[in-house]
Amino acid sequence: MPKLSILVGTMYGGALDAAEQVKPLFEQAGYTVAVIEQPSVADITDSNADLALFCVSTTGSGDYPGNFVPFVRNLHDQSPSLTSLRYGLIALGDSSYGDTFCGAGRALDALLADHGATRLGERLEIDAMETFMADDAAIPWVEEWIIAQQLEVA
Ligand SMILES: Cc1cc2nc3c(=O)[nH]c(=O)nc-3n(C[C@H](O)[C@H](O)[C@H](O)COP(=O)(O)O)c2cc1C
């Protein structure tokens, strides 16, 4: 079975919740799914890790959540080629923070692109001002994403 890693960056658990809620959708589509709460670069550079979903919230002033900081630091330091990585990105934020809305997700997207990774589809940005439970937005988006990107393997 192909593998899908869901890499989570979260402060208060909303992004982790969303990851756990979408996990069965990928299982139904034929994947072995790992929800990774302490992501490492190896999770996206291993030979069988060519599809990933990032679920990342923003804290501070457009900053990465604490659990996600080592991943980003190591990505900068190791600077691996990610040309075989295809990924989706769910960014959680709050538009009341203005310019830094979904800042971590947006920065991550740019960082992955810099390393040659290919985003499948558009980034989902979930605004806490509009959506109380992130999974309410994440579940329909993932259902659509699986269809639109023809990810079903079962
Ligand atoms: C201290 C603090 C700082 C935040 N800073 C930002 C920010 O700069 N930009 C943004 O879009 N959202 C910001 N948020 C909102 C969170 O990203 C949003 O509530 C998100 O849903 C939290 O997800 P989590 O539960 O996975 O951490 C901040 C929230 C807190 C509590």
Side-chain angles (χ1 to χ4, degrees):
M1 240 187 226
K3 192 180 152 197
L4 172 89
S5 298
I6 307 181
L7 286 76
V8 176
T10 186
M11 292 299 288
Y12 305 103
L16 177 59
D17 240 31
E20 296 285 5
Q21 296 295 322
V22 301
K23 180 181 177 190
L25 302 176
F26 290 107
E27 289 171 339
Q28 282 155 26
Y31 291 84
T32 300
V33 184
V35 174
I36 302 169
E37 297 181 49
Q38 298 295 333
S40 73
V41 172
D43 294 322
I44 53 168
T45 53
D46 280 356
S47 54
N48 63 346
D50 65 345
L51 183 63
L53 178 68
F54 291 86
C55 260
V56 176
S57 71
T58 294
T59 191
S61 271
D63 301 324
Y64 292 107
N67 77 304
F68 205 76
V69 169
F71 172 85
V72 171
R73 190 185 305 130
N74 289 333
L75 196 54
H76 275 293
D77 290 351
Q78 297 171 18
S79 204
S81 166
L82 298 177
T83 48
S84 60
L85 178 69
R86 299 170 306 145
Y87 70 95
L89 178 49
I90 297 177
L92 284 72
D94 183 327
S95 58
S96 68
Y97 285 85
D99 284 353
T100 65
F101 176 56
C102 286
R106 292 176 182 183
L108 174 65
D109 209 2
L111 186 61
L112 293 169
D114 276 354
H115 287 81
T118 303
R119 193 186 64 232
L120 300 181
E122 295 301 316
R123 181 177 62 228
L124 173 64
E125 296 187 341
I126 302 177
D127 184 355
M129 290 290 280
E130 290 174 359
T131 309
F132 182 59
M133 299 293 288
D135 37 296
D136 285 345
I139 289 172
W141 182 87
V142 166
E143 285 171 342
E144 181 56 36
W145 191 63
I146 288 170
I147 295 167
Q149 301 303 326
Q150 301 181 340
L151 296 176
E152 188 155 350
V153 289

